[in-house]
């Protein structure tokens, strides 16, 4: 893993953590992790990015990993952080890619049409909820996380603290539970929870996400379940949507319906694919290629 964590200091004094991968002087693509998540998800050496000439820049959102929290933040606030980060990094043109819960933040950047932003992608993205409720087609454990975070945050805090304690004290047991307790996932996703390398990667990713404790793992699901602060019909830059047909964590049908509202949108549905869409090399190459050109 190449996690040489870098830091930016924002105007309000907060630190924003990020890491870089791919071609240092290549086309910049800013990566937004899922919920919960961290920059660690994107720190493996990426031969595809090197071959395509992409400079991958992955951030920790506020309160995750090593980025300072921003109490009371909104989805649209992240677009302002992104614009400031892009300016500090000297990016003339760039694209953004949001994965899972990160898709909302990619959409926010497209709504604000940030200076230099050429395109955005939403991969395995959550869609805006109707009346603040997760869709019935979402797998039950994911639904429960959104519901507990919103209505009984103390219970969600207890659950996440127990998970953190297990990751810290019994990492092998945690990885075994990842491997055996995933019957609710699609066959595609279960196939990505089998090898020691895959399980260790998820452990590192989640442990870094909760470096500062469980707060963001409670507050962000609430944030995503509310109105994002804009309509998808108001997005102002081209958007690519990539989704697995068998995604149960962020149901495909919900995102396809949402994508119809986006003015300039190209949709790719990957047959048989689940939620861990960017783990598939062919799909990953297609996403980077679309944003690169």
């Amino acid at each position: 893993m190449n996690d040489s964590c870098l830091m930016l200091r924002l105007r309000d004094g907060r630190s924003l953590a990020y890491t870089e991968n791919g071609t240092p002087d290549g086309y910049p693509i800013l990566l937004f992790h899922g919920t919960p998540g961290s920059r660690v998800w994107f720190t493996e050496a990426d031969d595809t990015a090197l071959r395509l000439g992409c400079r991958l820049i992955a951030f920790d959102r506020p309160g995750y990993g090593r980025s300072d929290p921003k109490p009371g933040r909104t989805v649209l606030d992240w677009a302002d952080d992104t614009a400031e980060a892009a300016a500090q990094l000297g990016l003339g043109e760039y694209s953004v890619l949001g994965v899972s819960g990160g898709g909302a933040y990619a959409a926010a950047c497209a709504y604000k049409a940030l200076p230099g932003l050429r395109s955005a992608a939403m991969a395995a993205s959550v869609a805006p909820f109707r009346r603040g409720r997760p869709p019935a087609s979402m797998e039950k454990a994911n639904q429960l996380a959104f519901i507990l975070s919103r209505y009984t945050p103390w219970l969600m805090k207890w659950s996440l603290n127990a998970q953190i304690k297990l990751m810290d004290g019994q990492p092998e047991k945690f990885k075994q539970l990842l491997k055996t307790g995933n019957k609710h996932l699609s066959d595609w996703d279960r196939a990505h929870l089998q090898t020691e390398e895959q399980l260790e990667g998820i452990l590192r990713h989640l442990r870094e996400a909760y470096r500062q404790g469980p707060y963001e793992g409670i507050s962000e699901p609430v944030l995503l379940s509310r109105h994002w602060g804009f309509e998808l019909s108001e997005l102002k830059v081209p958007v690519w949507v990539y989704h697995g047909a068998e995604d149960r964590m962020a149901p495909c049908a919900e995102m396809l319906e949402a994508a119809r509202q986006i003015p300039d949108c190209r949709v790719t549905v990957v047959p048989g694919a689940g939620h861990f869409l960017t783990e598939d090399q062919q799909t990953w190459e297609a996403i980077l290629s679309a944003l690169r050109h």
Side-chain angles (χ1 to χ4, degrees):
M1 183 180 70
N2 178 30
D3 183 19
S4 52
C5 182
L6 304 168
M7 304 295 289
L8 292 172
R9 181 71 68 178
L10 300 177
R11 284 189 296 268
D12 63 6
R14 285 181 296 119
S15 292
L16 190 65
Y18 70 101
T19 191
E20 294 206 24
N21 199 345
T23 305
D25 59 350
Y27 178 72
I29 299 176
L30 311 188
L31 306 178
F32 306 156
H33 60 72
T35 303
S38 69
R39 72 192 183 283
V40 171
W41 194 249
F42 302 102
T43 51
E44 297 295 338
D46 198 305
D47 293 337
T48 303
L50 285 169
R51 179 162 44 81
L52 295 175
C54 297
R55 176 187 178 190
L56 305 183
I57 306 171
F59 295 96
D60 287 331
R61 282 194 295 280
Y64 286 117
R66 296 180 183 271
S67 287
D68 289 338
K70 182 176 184 177
R73 68 180 176 92
T74 67
V75 172
L76 280 173
D77 284 341
W78 178 248
D80 297 333
D81 286 354
T82 300
E84 190 175 345
Q88 286 198 37
L89 292 169
L91 306 183
E93 284 190 329
Y94 63 95
S95 295
V96 298
L97 164 60
V99 177
S100 190
Y105 298 94
C109 293
Y111 166 71
K112 285 210 166 183
L114 304 184
L117 180 63
R118 198 164 75 183
S119 60
M122 304 168 72
S125 177
V126 64
F129 289 174
R130 301 183 186 91
R131 298 179 296 279
R133 299 176 183 174
S137 53
M138 178 181 285
E139 63 94 8
K140 300 303 180 185
N142 225 28
Q143 284 190 53
L144 187 61
F146 279 103
I147 292 168
L148 291 181
S149 294
R150 185 163 189 176
Y151 297 107
T152 54
W154 61 269
L155 187 55
M156 191 63 180
K157 182 179 180 181
W158 175 87
S159 176
L160 291 180
N161 276 329
Q163 182 180 337
I164 293 167
K165 184 177 180 180
L166 185 62
M167 286 190 289
D168 285 346
Q170 298 177 277
E172 294 305 317
K173 183 176 180 180
F174 177 79
K175 287 188 286 187
Q176 186 61 26
L177 287 174
L178 281 177
K179 188 173 182 178
T180 60
N182 55 30
K183 304 302 181 186
H184 57 286
L185 298 178
S186 67
D187 291 341
W188 168 288
D189 288 328
R190 285 199 299 272
H192 289 88
L193 293 172
Q194 295 301 313
T195 70
E196 176 62 22
E197 182 181 8
Q198 291 165 341
L199 296 170
E200 183 65 27
I202 291 175
L203 173 64
R204 290 197 310 264
H205 168 61
L206 289 177
R207 189 59 197 91
E208 184 64 16
Y210 293 128
R211 172 181 286 272
Q212 300 178 56
Y215 178 75
E216 292 300 331
I218 302 167
S219 63
E220 190 164 75
V222 176
L223 191 60
L224 294 178
S225 68
R226 293 173 175 163
H227 190 266
W228 293 354
F230 57 92
E231 302 296 335
L232 294 182
S233 60
E234 300 173 303
L235 303 194
K236 302 175 184 70
V237 303
V239 176
W240 299 82
V241 168
Y242 286 84
H243 219 94
E246 304 303 322
D247 191 338
R248 298 176 186 173
M249 298 183 73
C252 185
E254 296 291 323
M255 192 59 216
L256 291 183
E257 182 174 343
R260 295 190 187 100
Q261 304 171 40
I262 302 174
D264 187 355
C265 183
R266 303 168 201 180
V267 177
T268 298
V269 176
V270 183
H275 192 63
F276 301 147
L277 197 59
T278 57
E279 297 303 296
D280 176 63
Q281 284 304 306
Q282 184 175 350
T283 304
W284 180 239
E285 180 169 350
I287 294 171
L288 295 187
S289 295
L291 293 173
R292 175 69 179 83
H293 295 101

